[in-house]
């Protein structure tokens, strides 16, 4: 029995640019200050997307509506760093640990530009509720989910191992 499963339905994502996320020490914390996320959620629904990317004050993409963002390029993970304004998610850290255990390189930057996402081999989102969700479409580009599937299998395997040791 798997704890997390990869989304079976297509996940189409747009970029919300009407408000920008601050880049300060509070940005990494989930808080009750949800105005940006509420506005982005309304925009997502009106625009017909399944999720949307949030940009920081520099206009760089740093996260999704309720998830951390990873792209895959040449079997390497790239994700915004904490200074970019993204939330320091628990699943994000779990993915770092799984990547390290499997010799997958992880690089951090101050956020992503749309052209970097379009050039990626794969995009996935992470959070503690859904685990890993594969993005299937961004603008005109379509993506596969090879790395997301591998990491999800590792994640579920780690959970089973920790459950059996209790």
């Amino acid at each position: 029995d798997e704890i997390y499963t990869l989304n079976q339905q297509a996940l189409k994502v747009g970029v919300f640019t009407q408000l920008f996320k601050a880049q300060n020490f509070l940005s990494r914390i989930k808080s009750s200050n949800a105005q940006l996320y509420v506005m982005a959620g309304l925009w997502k629904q009106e625009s017909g997307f399944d999720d949307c990317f949030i940009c920081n004050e520099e206009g760089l993409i740093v996260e999704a509506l309720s998830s951390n963002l990873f792209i895959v390029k040449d079997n390497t993970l790239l994700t915004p760093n904490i200074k970019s304004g993204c939330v320091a998610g628990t699943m994000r850290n779990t993915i770092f640990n799984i990547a390290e255990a499997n010799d997958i390189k992880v690089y951090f930057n101050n956020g992503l530009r749309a052209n970097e996402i379009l050039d990626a081999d794969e995009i996935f989102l992470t959070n503690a509720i859904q685990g890993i969700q594969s993005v299937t479409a961004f603008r005109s580009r379509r993506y596969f989910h090879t790395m997301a599937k591998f990491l999800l299998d590792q994640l579920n395997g780690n959970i089973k191992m920790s459950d059996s040791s209790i």
Side-chain angles (χ1 to χ4, degrees):
D1 298 338
E2 295 180 341
I3 304 295
Y4 293 110
T5 57
L6 200 60
N7 50 308
Q8 297 301 310
Q9 297 207 264
L11 188 63
K12 296 178 292 184
V13 180
V15 181
F16 177 69
T17 57
Q18 295 171 0
L19 291 172
F20 297 98
K21 189 163 184 196
Q23 292 171 260
N24 59 46
F25 67 97
L26 294 175
S27 300
R28 67 187 76 168
I29 301 167
K30 286 268 189 193
S31 72
S32 61
N33 184 4
Q35 181 179 12
L36 168 68
Y37 298 105
V38 169
M39 297 301 291
L42 291 171
W43 176 86
K44 169 196 77 133
Q45 288 179 324
E46 291 168 1
S47 302
F49 291 111
D50 301 306
D51 206 328
C52 63
F53 293 136
I54 306 291
C55 297
N56 64 16
E57 297 164 319
E58 296 174 45
L60 299 172
I61 297 166
V62 295
E63 63 187 10
L65 195 53
S66 61
S67 307
N68 287 109
L69 166 65
F70 289 84
I71 66 170
V72 180
K73 183 69 179 169
D74 301 324
N75 290 316
T76 299
L77 298 179
L78 181 62
T79 190
N81 61 38
I82 295 301
K83 291 179 184 176
S84 72
C86 74
V87 170
T90 56
M91 186 59 68
R92 178 179 186 266
N93 290 331
T94 300
I95 296 303
F96 297 155
N97 293 335
I98 292 171
E100 182 180 10
N102 288 280
D103 294 322
I104 299 168
K105 289 187 170 96
V106 180
Y107 291 103
F108 303 91
N109 66 9
N110 290 326
L112 298 161
R113 298 190 187 287
N115 64 337
E116 291 175 289
I117 294 173
L118 289 168
D119 192 41
D121 299 326
E122 189 173 339
I123 306 170
F124 63 88
L125 308 175
T126 65
N127 66 42
I129 303 297
Q130 296 170 305
I132 300 171
Q133 298 294 290
S134 179
V135 173
T136 50
F138 176 64
R139 297 192 176 157
S140 62
R141 181 81 199 278
R142 302 294 175 262
Y143 302 90
F144 295 102
H145 55 262
T146 308
M147 180 71 76
K149 176 82 173 95
F150 173 79
L151 293 169
L152 189 66
D153 289 345
Q154 296 297 307
L155 174 63
N156 283 322
N158 289 349
I159 291 170
K160 286 179 188 175
M161 285 187 345
S162 67
D163 283 349
S164 66
S165 64
I166 296 176

